[in-house]
Every structure is written in C-alpha cells, then in structure tokens.
Amino acid sequence: IIETLASLMLSADWKYRFMTVESEHSAMAAMIAASLAGARTFTATSSQGLLLMHELLHWASGGRLPIVMVNVNRAIAPGWNIWTDQQDSLSQRDTGWIQIYCADAQEALDSVICGFRLAESVQVPVMLVLDAFYLSHTAEEVDIPTMEAISTFLPKRDPAFKIKAGDRRSFGEFLRGIQYQQMRRKLDIAVNSALDQL
C-alpha cells in the first residue's frame, strides 16, 4: 500500500507530504504530530508492524486525532506467513480506535474515504482492516470516484484544534484519576457515536 502511494504521489497534483521513517512506531509518531498540526493523515501496516505501533495507538486515540490507517490482517509470528489472521487487529480492540472490516477491494477503497469523514466527525482514529492475501495479494476492478465527488463528500479538514509554531500549549499532561476517567468516558462515547454517523 505504501509503495503504491509513493508511486502515485510522484504524479499527484494535490498538496501532500510523504514521510519515510524507520519503523511503524515512528510512522505512528509522525501521524500523531502531523495530525496535531492540522494535516489529514494516513498510513498502512500489518501484523507485527501493528503490534509495534501499539503504544502510540493509545496516544492517537487519547489525543482524539482523526488518523486513518489500513491494517492488512496477517498472522502474528512465530511462524512467519502472509495468511490472514485477525489477532493483530483484535488485540488492538481496546486502544480506542474505530475498526472497520472490509470485505472486498471496492469496500476497502470506499472505506478509506468514509474513514476520513467518520474520523473527523467524531474526532477518533479509524483503522480499516483488510484480510491478508485474499485482499492484499489479489486484484479486482473498482469504481474510483472523481476528485470532485470526493471533495464534495469530504470537505477540507477543519481541525477542532491544532498546534502552531510559537503557540505554547500542553498536550498529554498529567491527569488526576477523575480527569482520566472522564477523558476515557468521552472517548468511549465518541467511538459509540460513530455508528450514528454511518
């Protein structure tokens, strides 16, 4: 997915920034920073990579950042393989991310676009989940919407908050017990409200 995006970006006529990092942990750290700065962010991973992101998945959801990520379900090692197994995404169930499981290539494409709208409407990150091999190593025709249709459905991002150079703010500060409980409850309400947005 990332290699294809890199190739597509070479001829893209829209504003973007493609970041190359050394690991999935760093990829999610970059997504968090870019989202805090007001950018619309996307990444993809699978299997062990998703597990490497685990710590930062909590930071993304706790920060109420509308990041969209594709996870290609693959078995967790050991042994190493490319076959589907949902242990990777299911083990992230309680991180505060909305998970949408896609059945085919068209649903995967449409869910990326819908994922951004959903994430931005409830201020919660969205993980789109595709079965390995069946969706990741096969090809099928899809209807690709026009940029005009996408722009109408998904308006320009208007972040609820964002950091700016020179603007002093604190994020992720120490919380007392009741404050932490309130924050987690608000996240839970937002995740559950996502069903009303679909």
Side-chain angles (χ1 to χ4, degrees), residues 3-16 18 147:
E3 290 172 1
T4 300
L5 281 176
S7 296
L8 290 172
M9 293 300 174
L10 293 174
S11 60
D13 60 353
W14 66 86
K15 189 176 177 182
Y16 72 91
F18 190 92
M147 285 303 293

Side-chain angles (χ1 to χ4, degrees), residues 31-32 34-36 38-42 60-61 63-69 97 115-126 157-161:
M31 296 298 97
I32 289 168
S35 187
L36 279 169
R40 190 170 270 155
T41 59
F42 174 86
S61 63
R64 305 292 299 275
L65 302 173
I67 297 166
V68 174
M69 172 174 60
W97 282 62
F116 279 109
R117 184 167 170 165
L118 178 60
E120 292 168 13
S121 68
V122 296
Q123 293 297 281
V124 174
V126 171
R157 182 169 181 221
D158 183 22
F161 61 89

Side-chain angles (χ1 to χ4, degrees), residues 42-108:
F42 174 86
T43 192
T45 190
S46 69
S47 187
Q48 306 299 131
L50 183 63
L51 299 185
L52 186 56
M53 284 182 177
H54 178 78
E55 174 192 5
L56 293 175
L57 296 182
H58 291 276
W59 281 94
S61 63
R64 305 292 299 275
L65 302 173
I67 297 166
V68 174
M69 172 174 60
V70 166
N71 175 57
V72 177
N73 279 135
R74 280 197 358 230
I76 301 297
W80 195 258
N81 70 68
I82 61 167
W83 299 106
T84 191
D85 183 335
Q86 296 178 343
Q87 283 186 80
D88 57 352
S89 59
L90 292 177
S91 67
Q92 307 309 314
R93 184 195 67 184
D94 295 329
T95 58
W97 282 62
I98 296 168
Q99 292 187 11
I100 299 172
Y101 288 72
C102 303
D104 57 38
Q106 186 68 55
E107 197 169 279

Side-chain angles (χ1 to χ4, degrees), residues 126-144:
V126 171
M127 181 187 306
L128 308 168
V129 186
L130 318 177
D131 279 338
F133 196 80
Y134 299 105
L135 290 180
S136 65
H137 287 67
T138 59
E140 59 185 295
E141 286 188 18
V142 294
D143 292 322
I144 300 174

